[in-house]
mmCIF file with all atom_site columns, all heavy atoms in Angstrom:
data_model
loop_
_atom_site.group_PDB
_atom_site.id
_atom_site.type_symbol
_atom_site.label_atom_id
_atom_site.label_alt_id
_atom_site.label_comp_id
_atom_site.label_asym_id
_atom_site.label_entity_id
_atom_site.label_seq_id
_atom_site.pdbx_PDB_ins_code
_atom_site.Cartn_x
_atom_site.Cartn_y
_atom_site.Cartn_z
_atom_site.occupancy
_atom_site.B_iso_or_equiv
_atom_site.pdbx_formal_charge
_atom_site.auth_seq_id
_atom_site.auth_comp_id
_atom_site.auth_asym_id
_atom_site.auth_atom_id
_atom_site.pdbx_PDB_model_num
ATOM 1   N N   . ILE C 1 61  ? 128.489 27.972 145.160 1.00 0.00 ? 61  ILE C N   1
ATOM 2   C CA  . ILE C 1 61  ? 129.451 29.086 145.115 1.00 0.00 ? 61  ILE C CA  1
ATOM 3   C C   . ILE C 1 61  ? 129.066 30.149 146.144 1.00 0.00 ? 61  ILE C C   1
ATOM 4   O O   . ILE C 1 61  ? 129.933 30.703 146.832 1.00 0.00 ? 61  ILE C O   1
ATOM 5   C CB  . ILE C 1 61  ? 129.515 29.702 143.697 1.00 0.00 ? 61  ILE C CB  1
ATOM 6   C CG1 . ILE C 1 61  ? 129.991 28.666 142.673 1.00 0.00 ? 61  ILE C CG1 1
ATOM 7   C CG2 . ILE C 1 61  ? 130.468 30.899 143.687 1.00 0.00 ? 61  ILE C CG2 1
ATOM 8   C CD1 . ILE C 1 61  ? 129.921 29.152 141.241 1.00 0.00 ? 61  ILE C CD1 1
ATOM 9   N N   . ILE C 1 62  ? 127.772 30.438 146.243 1.00 0.00 ? 62  ILE C N   1
ATOM 10  C CA  . ILE C 1 62  ? 127.311 31.435 147.222 1.00 0.00 ? 62  ILE C CA  1
ATOM 11  C C   . ILE C 1 62  ? 127.587 30.960 148.644 1.00 0.00 ? 62  ILE C C   1
ATOM 12  O O   . ILE C 1 62  ? 128.040 31.742 149.495 1.00 0.00 ? 62  ILE C O   1
ATOM 13  C CB  . ILE C 1 62  ? 125.808 31.724 147.019 1.00 0.00 ? 62  ILE C CB  1
ATOM 14  C CG1 . ILE C 1 62  ? 125.624 32.600 145.780 1.00 0.00 ? 62  ILE C CG1 1
ATOM 15  C CG2 . ILE C 1 62  ? 125.207 32.408 148.244 1.00 0.00 ? 62  ILE C CG2 1
ATOM 16  C CD1 . ILE C 1 62  ? 124.196 32.949 145.460 1.00 0.00 ? 62  ILE C CD1 1
ATOM 17  N N   . ILE C 1 63  ? 127.328 29.682 148.922 1.00 0.00 ? 63  ILE C N   1
ATOM 18  C CA  . ILE C 1 63  ? 127.620 29.130 150.249 1.00 0.00 ? 63  ILE C CA  1
ATOM 19  C C   . ILE C 1 63  ? 129.108 29.258 150.558 1.00 0.00 ? 63  ILE C C   1
ATOM 20  O O   . ILE C 1 63  ? 129.498 29.661 151.665 1.00 0.00 ? 63  ILE C O   1
ATOM 21  C CB  . ILE C 1 63  ? 127.175 27.655 150.334 1.00 0.00 ? 63  ILE C CB  1
ATOM 22  C CG1 . ILE C 1 63  ? 125.646 27.565 150.301 1.00 0.00 ? 63  ILE C CG1 1
ATOM 23  C CG2 . ILE C 1 63  ? 127.711 26.997 151.606 1.00 0.00 ? 63  ILE C CG2 1
ATOM 24  C CD1 . ILE C 1 63  ? 125.128 26.145 150.152 1.00 0.00 ? 63  ILE C CD1 1
ATOM 25  N N   . LEU C 1 64  ? 129.942 28.942 149.578 1.00 0.00 ? 64  LEU C N   1
ATOM 26  C CA  . LEU C 1 64  ? 131.392 29.041 149.754 1.00 0.00 ? 64  LEU C CA  1
ATOM 27  C C   . LEU C 1 64  ? 131.818 30.480 150.023 1.00 0.00 ? 64  LEU C C   1
ATOM 28  O O   . LEU C 1 64  ? 132.667 30.739 150.892 1.00 0.00 ? 64  LEU C O   1
ATOM 29  C CB  . LEU C 1 64  ? 132.097 28.498 148.509 1.00 0.00 ? 64  LEU C CB  1
ATOM 30  C CG  . LEU C 1 64  ? 133.621 28.403 148.571 1.00 0.00 ? 64  LEU C CG  1
ATOM 31  C CD1 . LEU C 1 64  ? 134.072 27.473 149.696 1.00 0.00 ? 64  LEU C CD1 1
ATOM 32  C CD2 . LEU C 1 64  ? 134.176 27.911 147.229 1.00 0.00 ? 64  LEU C CD2 1
ATOM 33  N N   . PHE C 1 65  ? 131.214 31.421 149.313 1.00 0.00 ? 65  PHE C N   1
ATOM 34  C CA  . PHE C 1 65  ? 131.551 32.838 149.485 1.00 0.00 ? 65  PHE C CA  1
ATOM 35  C C   . PHE C 1 65  ? 131.198 33.309 150.898 1.00 0.00 ? 65  PHE C C   1
ATOM 36  O O   . PHE C 1 65  ? 132.006 33.962 151.574 1.00 0.00 ? 65  PHE C O   1
ATOM 37  C CB  . PHE C 1 65  ? 130.810 33.677 148.439 1.00 0.00 ? 65  PHE C CB  1
ATOM 38  C CG  . PHE C 1 65  ? 131.046 35.156 148.545 1.00 0.00 ? 65  PHE C CG  1
ATOM 39  C CD1 . PHE C 1 65  ? 132.299 35.695 148.308 1.00 0.00 ? 65  PHE C CD1 1
ATOM 40  C CD2 . PHE C 1 65  ? 130.005 36.022 148.883 1.00 0.00 ? 65  PHE C CD2 1
ATOM 41  C CE1 . PHE C 1 65  ? 132.519 37.072 148.408 1.00 0.00 ? 65  PHE C CE1 1
ATOM 42  C CE2 . PHE C 1 65  ? 130.221 37.379 148.987 1.00 0.00 ? 65  PHE C CE2 1
ATOM 43  C CZ  . PHE C 1 65  ? 131.479 37.905 148.742 1.00 0.00 ? 65  PHE C CZ  1
ATOM 44  N N   . PHE C 1 66  ? 130.017 32.955 151.368 1.00 0.00 ? 66  PHE C N   1
ATOM 45  C CA  . PHE C 1 66  ? 129.601 33.384 152.708 1.00 0.00 ? 66  PHE C CA  1
ATOM 46  C C   . PHE C 1 66  ? 130.378 32.646 153.800 1.00 0.00 ? 66  PHE C C   1
ATOM 47  O O   . PHE C 1 66  ? 130.684 33.229 154.845 1.00 0.00 ? 66  PHE C O   1
ATOM 48  C CB  . PHE C 1 66  ? 128.093 33.186 152.886 1.00 0.00 ? 66  PHE C CB  1
ATOM 49  C CG  . PHE C 1 66  ? 127.274 34.326 152.364 1.00 0.00 ? 66  PHE C CG  1
ATOM 50  C CD1 . PHE C 1 66  ? 126.861 34.363 151.045 1.00 0.00 ? 66  PHE C CD1 1
ATOM 51  C CD2 . PHE C 1 66  ? 126.923 35.376 153.199 1.00 0.00 ? 66  PHE C CD2 1
ATOM 52  C CE1 . PHE C 1 66  ? 126.111 35.429 150.551 1.00 0.00 ? 66  PHE C CE1 1
ATOM 53  C CE2 . PHE C 1 66  ? 126.170 36.445 152.726 1.00 0.00 ? 66  PHE C CE2 1
ATOM 54  C CZ  . PHE C 1 66  ? 125.772 36.470 151.396 1.00 0.00 ? 66  PHE C CZ  1
ATOM 55  N N   . LEU C 1 67  ? 130.699 31.395 153.564 1.00 0.00 ? 67  LEU C N   1
ATOM 56  C CA  . LEU C 1 67  ? 131.512 30.650 154.522 1.00 0.00 ? 67  LEU C CA  1
ATOM 57  C C   . LEU C 1 67  ? 132.898 31.277 154.643 1.00 0.00 ? 67  LEU C C   1
ATOM 58  O O   . LEU C 1 67  ? 133.454 31.385 155.749 1.00 0.00 ? 67  LEU C O   1
ATOM 59  C CB  . LEU C 1 67  ? 131.610 29.185 154.083 1.00 0.00 ? 67  LEU C CB  1
ATOM 60  C CG  . LEU C 1 67  ? 132.274 28.209 155.064 1.00 0.00 ? 67  LEU C CG  1
ATOM 61  C CD1 . LEU C 1 67  ? 131.485 28.149 156.366 1.00 0.00 ? 67  LEU C CD1 1
ATOM 62  C CD2 . LEU C 1 67  ? 132.379 26.818 154.435 1.00 0.00 ? 67  LEU C CD2 1
ATOM 63  N N   . TYR C 1 68  ? 133.431 31.701 153.505 1.00 0.00 ? 68  TYR C N   1
ATOM 64  C CA  . TYR C 1 68  ? 134.728 32.385 153.509 1.00 0.00 ? 68  TYR C CA  1
ATOM 65  C C   . TYR C 1 68  ? 134.653 33.684 154.317 1.00 0.00 ? 68  TYR C C   1
ATOM 66  O O   . TYR C 1 68  ? 135.566 33.987 155.099 1.00 0.00 ? 68  TYR C O   1
ATOM 67  C CB  . TYR C 1 68  ? 135.163 32.679 152.070 1.00 0.00 ? 68  TYR C CB  1
ATOM 68  C CG  . TYR C 1 68  ? 136.427 33.494 151.977 1.00 0.00 ? 68  TYR C CG  1
ATOM 69  C CD1 . TYR C 1 68  ? 137.683 32.889 152.063 1.00 0.00 ? 68  TYR C CD1 1
ATOM 70  C CD2 . TYR C 1 68  ? 136.381 34.880 151.819 1.00 0.00 ? 68  TYR C CD2 1
ATOM 71  C CE1 . TYR C 1 68  ? 138.848 33.637 151.998 1.00 0.00 ? 68  TYR C CE1 1
ATOM 72  C CE2 . TYR C 1 68  ? 137.531 35.632 151.750 1.00 0.00 ? 68  TYR C CE2 1
ATOM 73  C CZ  . TYR C 1 68  ? 138.771 35.011 151.836 1.00 0.00 ? 68  TYR C CZ  1
ATOM 74  O OH  . TYR C 1 68  ? 139.917 35.757 151.782 1.00 0.00 ? 68  TYR C OH  1
ATOM 75  N N   . ILE C 1 69  ? 133.578 34.448 154.132 1.00 0.00 ? 69  ILE C N   1
ATOM 76  C CA  . ILE C 1 69  ? 133.409 35.698 154.885 1.00 0.00 ? 69  ILE C CA  1
ATOM 77  C C   . ILE C 1 69  ? 133.406 35.427 156.387 1.00 0.00 ? 69  ILE C C   1
ATOM 78  O O   . ILE C 1 69  ? 134.062 36.134 157.162 1.00 0.00 ? 69  ILE C O   1
ATOM 79  C CB  . ILE C 1 69  ? 132.101 36.407 154.472 1.00 0.00 ? 69  ILE C CB  1
ATOM 80  C CG1 . ILE C 1 69  ? 132.225 36.993 153.063 1.00 0.00 ? 69  ILE C CG1 1
ATOM 81  C CG2 . ILE C 1 69  ? 131.751 37.529 155.466 1.00 0.00 ? 69  ILE C CG2 1
ATOM 82  C CD1 . ILE C 1 69  ? 130.938 37.610 152.541 1.00 0.00 ? 69  ILE C CD1 1
ATOM 83  N N   . LEU C 1 352 ? 138.429 41.421 151.941 1.00 0.00 ? 352 LEU C N   1
ATOM 84  C CA  . LEU C 1 352 ? 138.423 39.959 151.855 1.00 0.00 ? 352 LEU C CA  1
ATOM 85  C C   . LEU C 1 352 ? 139.644 39.412 151.134 1.00 0.00 ? 352 LEU C C   1
ATOM 86  O O   . LEU C 1 352 ? 139.782 38.189 151.001 1.00 0.00 ? 352 LEU C O   1
ATOM 87  C CB  . LEU C 1 352 ? 137.147 39.478 151.153 1.00 0.00 ? 352 LEU C CB  1
ATOM 88  C CG  . LEU C 1 352 ? 135.826 39.790 151.857 1.00 0.00 ? 352 LEU C CG  1
ATOM 89  C CD1 . LEU C 1 352 ? 134.650 39.291 151.024 1.00 0.00 ? 352 LEU C CD1 1
ATOM 90  C CD2 . LEU C 1 352 ? 135.778 39.197 153.260 1.00 0.00 ? 352 LEU C CD2 1
ATOM 91  N N   . GLY C 1 356 ? 139.055 36.360 148.387 1.00 0.00 ? 356 GLY C N   1
ATOM 92  C CA  . GLY C 1 356 ? 137.665 36.792 148.471 1.00 0.00 ? 356 GLY C CA  1
ATOM 93  C C   . GLY C 1 356 ? 137.193 37.438 147.192 1.00 0.00 ? 356 GLY C C   1
ATOM 94  O O   . GLY C 1 356 ? 136.067 37.198 146.736 1.00 0.00 ? 356 GLY C O   1
ATOM 95  N N   . PHE C 1 360 ? 134.217 36.162 144.668 1.00 0.00 ? 360 PHE C N   1
ATOM 96  C CA  . PHE C 1 360 ? 133.146 37.082 144.298 1.00 0.00 ? 360 PHE C CA  1
ATOM 97  C C   . PHE C 1 360 ? 133.013 37.185 142.780 1.00 0.00 ? 360 PHE C C   1
ATOM 98  O O   . PHE C 1 360 ? 131.901 37.143 142.236 1.00 0.00 ? 360 PHE C O   1
ATOM 99  C CB  . PHE C 1 360 ? 133.436 38.455 144.911 1.00 0.00 ? 360 PHE C CB  1
ATOM 100 C CG  . PHE C 1 360 ? 132.325 39.461 144.760 1.00 0.00 ? 360 PHE C CG  1
ATOM 101 C CD1 . PHE C 1 360 ? 131.045 39.174 145.180 1.00 0.00 ? 360 PHE C CD1 1
ATOM 102 C CD2 . PHE C 1 360 ? 132.580 40.712 144.191 1.00 0.00 ? 360 PHE C CD2 1
ATOM 103 C CE1 . PHE C 1 360 ? 130.017 40.111 145.044 1.00 0.00 ? 360 PHE C CE1 1
ATOM 104 C CE2 . PHE C 1 360 ? 131.575 41.647 144.052 1.00 0.00 ? 360 PHE C CE2 1
ATOM 105 C CZ  . PHE C 1 360 ? 130.284 41.345 144.475 1.00 0.00 ? 360 PHE C CZ  1
#
Side-chain angles (χ1 to χ4, degrees):
I61 298 173
I62 285 180
I63 291 171
L64 186 61
F65 178 66
F66 275 88
L67 188 62
Y68 175 83
I69 289 175
L352 297 178
F360 187 54

